[in-house]
Amino acid sequence: FFLMIRRPPRSTQSRSSAASDVYKRQEIYLSLDNTQITDQSLIALAGSLRRMSSQLDSFTLSIISTKSTDEGVAILVAALSSLQSLSKLYLDFYRCLAVTDKSAKKFADLIEKMPSLSEITLLFESTGVSQGDLEEIIRKKSQCHKLFDIKL
């Protein structure tokens, strides 16, 4: 389990300055690879994300080889959609065999709902996600003109 929260250095004490706004933004890197993470854990993570909704700029989540399923991912996607300041998203579901097309469709919907997202990376290698549903995500991505990387 690894969690990293980075904040840029504060360049001014004025709360109304643009630098102060940058300071308030946060980047989270969370690696839960090869752990016993379940949907309940993703529900708890989603609750934490909702509380940070106005501050989170970049979110990286790696849940390689965990017990996460579509239900947990759906709750995570709902929490991500509330993060209106989020501009960068990286999610790696490698070898999460219970993550299927349902999750891919949720992410396709998320892309359309979040105009603030400028960079998106979704990794679904060795999961239950099909090529057809990834193509749907790619089609929606091409309509929104965002920097985008996806792998199956």
Side-chain angles (χ1 to χ4, degrees):
F1 179 106
F2 177 73
L3 171 66
M4 177 176 72
I5 300 176
R6 290 183 14 193
R7 295 181 182 175
R10 190 169 187 147
S11 61
T12 180
Q13 296 297 321
S14 171
R15 290 196 173 269
S16 63
S17 70
S20 179
D21 290 341
V22 169
Y23 173 73
K24 292 176 188 174
R25 294 187 188 130
Q26 295 183 19
E27 177 179 305
I28 292 183
Y29 177 84
L30 184 57
S31 177
L32 304 171
D33 301 345
N34 300 306
T35 62
Q36 295 298 312
I37 295 300
T38 63
D39 290 343
Q40 292 298 340
S41 303
L42 291 180
I43 291 168
L45 175 60
S48 296
L49 288 173
R50 283 188 182 100
R51 287 188 290 281
M52 301 180 71
S53 65
S54 64
Q55 299 171 336
L56 195 58
D57 182 57
S58 176
F59 182 63
T60 298
L61 175 63
S62 180
I63 54 172
I64 295 172
S65 297
T66 65
K67 295 181 178 182
S68 303
T69 68
D70 289 328
E71 288 74 24
V73 171
I75 291 166
L76 180 63
V77 168
L80 289 170
S81 68
S82 71
L83 303 176
Q84 297 305 312
S85 63
L86 192 65
S87 65
K88 297 176 188 170
L89 178 63
Y90 178 97
L91 298 170
D92 189 349
F93 296 100
Y94 179 69
R95 290 179 47 199
C96 291
L97 301 177
V99 173
T100 68
D101 293 342
K102 289 180 183 179
S103 293
K105 289 175 184 175
K106 293 283 184 187
F107 282 110
D109 294 340
L110 177 70
I111 292 165
E112 287 184 323
K113 293 177 184 175
M114 294 193 66
S116 63
L117 276 177
S118 59
E119 291 183 36
I120 306 164
T121 301
L122 301 174
L123 303 174
F124 290 107
E125 294 179 74
S126 299
T127 64
V129 176
S130 72
Q131 185 67 36
D133 281 301
L134 287 183
E135 289 170 2
E136 173 69 11
I137 293 175
I138 292 167
R139 184 184 63 75
K140 289 187 178 188
K141 178 271 308 184
S142 65
Q143 295 171 353
C144 63
H145 303 41
K146 297 176 181 182
L147 182 60
F148 197 94
D149 187 25
I150 188 164
K151 293 182 183 170
L152 178 60

